[in-house]
Amino acid sequence: MTEPQLFRRYKKWEGNTKFLCKGRLLHGPDRKRFYFAVAGNIIPMILLVTLVWPEIYDLVDIKYALAIYIITGVLWLYSITFHITCAYMDPGILPRMHGSWKPNPIVQLKSGAKIEQRWCGTCRMHKPYRATHCGICNNCVSKFDHHCPWIGNCVGARNYKFFMLFILTTSIMILCTLGVCILDIVLRTMDSTESTSIAFKNTLASNPTSFILCFYCLASGGFVIALSCFHVYLIKLSITTNEYIKHTRNEYSRGLIVNCYSVMCAPQYQSNVQFRKRVEYDSDEI
């Protein structure tokens, strides 16, 4: 009798998810805008460090200059770390069951409300409540929020916390960078002995980096800060972006403090799928 053929689950995964490091990391099929977002995070920081920080060092007391360096540097490190973490972790992918269709079961929630578990024809299973099939990644995702092109991955139960930390730290970093650039422009203008208008023009001509970064922060910051405020509002309501768009009835809100704690401080969810586990070729659950 021949032994059954075994393989790691991620090698036969039927969705559009791409795997790295032998199944330890994963990402969605769309990566161009993710790389664009990473470049949009790194390049302004390089300009700030190489062209703006040296001028700040010459214009303010060293202790204030060090404080500016540390605050903006730490915020940038947190931002890029949360961005990459969110992009390469399992968002809450559900296993494909390959079952046969059955009438949609009715389940009762803790609130007493009764809901119908809908059938997913692709994953061949009844989707748990708040799970949605992502057409881009071709996976059912637990507590699906949305598919974010800027991270190239779905945002769901397992990485929503890191997505929130990413947009919040990025928002604060943009505001700090904008403040540093404005401070640089003001101090260089005031340091001149010429009239304010002439000094301002000379400041712009001598090193326009601060002006460029100001415009960049205003353009990108408006979007990121608005996105952060929107998701804070969703946490207050305890609903996802997908549920907000579909006007789904809210059955989970337990107050602002508890809602925030459940998103930002709750223990990390375990993966629903063990992608590195060895399974048989004809396993009913891939």
Side-chain angles (χ1 to χ4, degrees):
M1 182 177 179
T2 60
E3 295 184 359
Q5 182 182 359
L6 299 178
F7 59 90
R8 294 197 185 273
R9 183 178 278 121
Y10 77 90
K11 292 185 176 181
K12 297 291 184 179
W13 190 253
E14 296 178 4
N16 297 331
T17 301
K18 308 299 181 182
F19 295 91
L20 301 172
C21 300
K22 297 182 178 180
R24 293 179 175 88
L25 303 176
L26 60 84
H27 61 78
D30 50 334
R31 305 304 292 166
K32 291 182 179 179
R33 277 184 281 187
F34 165 70
Y35 296 135
F36 180 79
V38 171
N41 199 341
I42 293 176
I43 294 175
M45 192 62 188
I46 293 175
L47 295 175
L48 184 72
V49 171
T50 57
L51 299 176
V52 179
W53 279 9
E55 294 182 346
I56 293 291
Y57 183 83
D58 294 333
L59 294 171
V60 302
D61 188 89
I62 185 171
K63 60 182 180 182
Y64 297 117
L66 289 175
I68 291 172
Y69 300 164
I70 292 172
I71 292 172
T72 53
V74 169
L75 285 171
W76 178 79
L77 287 174
Y78 274 122
S79 174
I80 197 71
T81 300
F82 291 138
H83 189 187
I84 294 174
T85 300
C86 186
Y88 285 100
M89 73 180 300
D90 173 15
I93 297 173
L94 295 171
R96 294 170 181 259
M97 304 304 294
H98 298 287
S100 57
W101 182 87
K102 296 179 182 179
N104 294 345
I106 304 296
V107 298
Q108 186 171 358
L109 305 178
K110 292 181 179 180
S111 62
K114 295 183 179 180
I115 59 100
E116 181 182 33
Q117 285 188 314
R118 296 185 177 182
W119 175 259
C120 177
T122 303
C123 298
R124 307 295 298 173
M125 68 172 186
H126 287 98
K127 294 180 289 187
Y129 185 51
R130 309 188 84 181
T132 299
H133 191 89
C134 174
I136 298 175
C137 291
N138 195 25
N139 295 311
C140 278
V141 179
S142 177
K143 199 179 177 183
F144 177 80
D145 189 89
H146 68 289
H147 184 93
C148 180
W150 307 112
I151 65 171
N153 198 0
C154 293
V155 178
R158 297 195 71 248
N159 64 348
Y160 184 75
K161 172 172 65 176
F162 296 100
F163 174 77
M164 279 299 303
L165 290 171
F166 163 57
I167 59 177
L168 289 174
T169 53
T170 303
S171 298
I172 299 171
M173 182 191 68
I174 289 173
L175 292 175
C176 289
T177 302
L178 180 62
V180 170
C181 292
I182 292 175
L183 177 65
D184 176 52
I185 294 170
V186 171
L187 291 178
R188 283 197 290 150
T189 301
M190 294 176 60
D191 193 52
S192 176
T193 57
E194 299 175 333
S195 64
T196 303
S197 60
I198 296 176
F200 183 80
K201 292 179 181 178
N202 292 336
T203 299
L204 176 60
S206 62
N207 188 357
T209 306
S210 292
F211 291 91
I212 295 172
L213 289 177
C214 280
F215 285 115
Y216 178 79
C217 289
L218 290 172
S220 61
F223 169 75
V224 177
I225 293 171
L227 183 64
S228 300
C229 294
F230 174 68
H231 277 276
V232 170
Y233 174 69
L234 292 182
I235 291 175
K236 175 182 177 296
L237 298 178
S238 190
I239 61 176
T240 64
T241 302
N242 183 60
E243 292 166 346
Y244 179 83
I245 294 173
K246 294 181 177 180
H247 304 285
T248 304
R249 183 180 175 183
N250 180 14
E251 301 285 351
Y252 278 87
S253 181
R254 293 174 290 174
L256 177 61
I257 295 178
V258 177
N259 291 347
C260 291
Y261 177 84
S262 64
V263 171
M264 307 303 293
C265 303
Q268 180 66 37
Y269 292 99
Q270 295 295 321
S271 292
N272 298 299
V273 183
Q274 296 179 336
F275 289 106
R276 288 177 48 79
K277 182 179 179 180
R278 295 184 182 274
V279 294
E280 295 181 17
Y281 182 77
D282 58 349
S283 174
D284 292 333
E285 182 182 336
I286 300 297

